[in-house]
Amino acid sequence: MTSTGIRLHAPAPGWAISADVVVVGSGVAGLTAALRCEAAGLATVVVTKARLDDGSTRWAQGGIAAALGEGDTPEQHLDDTLVAGAGLCDEEAVRILVTEGPDAVRRLIETGAHFDESSEGELELTREGGHHRRRIAHAGGDATGAEISRALVEAVRARGLRTVENALVLDLLTDAEGRTAGVTLHVMGEGQHDGVGAVHAPAVVLATGGMGQVFSATTNPSVSTGDGVALALRAGAEVSDLEFVQFHPTVLFLGPEAEGQQPLVSEAVRGEGAHLVDADGVRFMVGQHELAELAPRDIVAKGITRRMLEQGAEHMFLDARHFGAEMWEHRFPTILAACRAHGIDPVTAPIPVAPAAHYASGGVRTDPRGRTTVPGLYACGEVACTGVHGANRLASNSLLEGLVYAERIAADIAGARAASALPARVPQPVPHAETGHPLLAPEARFAIQRIMTEGAGVIRSEASLTEAAERIERLRAEARDALLENGKTAEPGVDTWEATNLLCVARALVAAARLRQETRGCHWREDRPDRDDTAWRRHIVVRLNPDRTLAVHTTDTADLPPTRPQEQ
């Protein structure tokens, strides 16, 4: 692994703190990793972009999947996951997930998370798309993520973990040998730390969440700008499967001009019996898949999009009027309130829905211990590509993946410390700003989102992806030329750093999507409508070169290769 030497334009760090581990992100993956590292005696710092409870986890409605019910087994959970992943799941990674998952959920409950229970005191489990059994544990009806976030945040505060909130991570620090030595970050606002600084640590855990803000309409919060993937690329790490962006089938349709975070209508609503219908009330998913509305998400999103195209409609409808007011108020209070806030009462009318960007199945490539191709750099949660999700994530596997792999990362770091392999590392000096990556103006964010929605959305083609790549390259060229011609770039700041990260992620995603000339999982190429296992049952890996070009290649098989050369 060779570092690119590319960094964001930013002032030199004005302050620094030291730790054994720095965890970047405060969702289920980040806080679980931090708690387990702290419990192992490691000095741990949590860095998060907003407040501790502001990540994607708290927006998760449906629940967390694990073989916890009577008659269910990890093997059945594995089978459902492999089917949803459309031939690209790493079976070892999935087996780890489903076998370690039930106990990980029980430890989460011991940490303080309260899940909904039946009158007999048993976990109340529901079913979602792609699952053949009820194995989704939920909390507060449809507020599972909020409950998990609450429990973990309380545990972090009770344990007195050091946290740096309102901090955007910038770049990875490395030592003279290219090993991880911490991160640079920018703290927004006044306090103990302000402005650009650094956390020096020999282990960095990326748990920065997704990159949904690369599209115009998404279920992701505004902080999900792909910062972790962009940092990893600049650090020379490999990313994989970026083309597999899951579009959630049922997002509340707020109009064709709506942008940014959109309200999610959980898959659990369909799990409890809601029907997808067109304007004439026809259930168009019946006959398209044995599970109809409960087919895997890629199939449902395609079914909705196809029907919209056939009828020239902007949305379809989710009909759950037969639930009645009592069920809506008890089981889905959050969704009910969101719908009513936008003038829709699902008790009396169908809900207008359309697909929107939801979850990145790919990300920074890791091994079963969460290790990336950069020594000392780990990744877990949505920012990572463990191989669990393949070409399409199975519903409610994401919270479980964050939980299981965060625990494995903490165990690996603690093991390295016990073996005296986690020494303090001296970071190389941060280069002067003029060697940094040209920054984009804040308004470029909206241009990127439009480019990606039009060219790399639910339906893609060679023509649409080529146009997207050309438009992205023009944005890059404008920023580069401004820097070369007059030595100026956009003013360093959160808006320009985020826009620049989004461009980096968009460029890598489009490159992967152009290379994969087939339809598989949530990658739908209308010009290549068939799945081609002979040529494409393999992963696409992207790396950023020091000259800022992208190295894009496919793996030899459907298995992800080791992240460390000595393991081959």
Side-chain angles (χ1 to χ4, degrees), residues 3-245:
S3 174
T4 66
I6 302 169
R7 294 177 179 273
L8 290 172
H9 269 269
W15 53 270
I17 58 178
S18 297
D20 294 323
V21 186
V22 56
V23 177
V24 187
S26 60
V28 62
L31 295 188
T32 298
L35 285 166
R36 298 293 180 267
C37 284
E38 191 273 342
L42 297 162
T44 304
V45 173
V46 177
V47 173
T48 188
K49 195 171 178 180
R51 298 188 306 273
L52 278 181
D53 62 352
D54 265 353
S56 293
T57 291
R58 75 183 180 99
W59 296 99
Q61 295 173 344
I64 185 166
L68 296 162
E70 184 178 351
D72 197 4
T73 65
E75 200 67 27
Q76 294 176 67
H77 189 183
L78 180 140
D79 289 344
D80 285 345
T81 301
L82 294 180
V83 169
L88 274 187
C89 294
D90 184 293
E91 188 164 340
E92 179 192 1
V94 178
R95 196 168 294 281
I96 288 169
L97 179 84
V98 300
T99 55
E100 297 182 11
D103 283 343
V105 172
R106 294 182 186 103
R107 284 189 290 273
L108 180 61
I109 293 171
E110 291 170 3
T111 301
H114 302 293
F115 291 94
D116 295 339
E117 296 180 347
S118 66
S119 56
E120 292 79 30
E122 299 292 327
L123 278 178
E124 192 177 73
L125 302 174
T126 191
R127 191 175 155 212
E128 293 184 359
H131 293 272
H132 282 79
R133 283 192 173 272
R134 286 182 170 263
R135 65 168 65 97
I136 317 299
H138 50 85
D142 58 359
T144 310
E147 171 57 18
I148 290 173
S149 180
R150 178 205 63 77
L152 291 173
V153 168
E154 285 189 7
V156 163
R157 289 177 173 153
R159 297 292 291 266
L161 266 73
R162 189 168 191 174
T163 60
V164 183
E165 296 181 280
N166 301 306
L168 171 64
V169 67
L170 299 176
D171 282 300
L172 191 73
L173 292 170
T174 55
D175 66 9
E177 285 75 45
R179 295 186 60 89
T180 294
V183 292
T184 55
L185 63 158
H186 173 78
V187 180
M188 300 165 267
E190 299 178 358
Q192 183 180 0
H193 305 297
D194 190 19
V196 174
V199 181
H200 296 163
V204 171
V205 181
L206 291 179
T208 51
M211 53 188 187
Q213 289 291 329
V214 80
F215 294 96
S216 296
T218 178
T219 62
N220 289 192
S222 60
V223 295
S224 297
T225 50
D227 307 320
V229 170
L231 174 150
L233 282 166
R234 289 192 296 272
E238 292 181 352
V239 302
S240 184
D241 297 354
L242 287 191
E243 69 272 29
F244 297 120
V245 176

Side-chain angles (χ1 to χ4, degrees), residues 346-404:
V347 176
T348 59
I351 306 167
V353 293
H358 182 56
Y359 190 87
S361 293
V364 185
R365 192 167 79 77
T366 72
D367 68 5
R369 289 186 272 176
R371 301 182 302 178
T372 73
T373 52
V374 175
L377 179 65
Y378 296 78
C380 57
E382 191 172 354
V383 71
C385 179
T386 62
V388 158
H389 304 306
N392 182 50
R393 174 180 68 104
L394 181 65
S396 288
N397 267 356
S398 50
L399 291 175
L400 189 70
E401 183 200 30
L403 199 59
V404 167

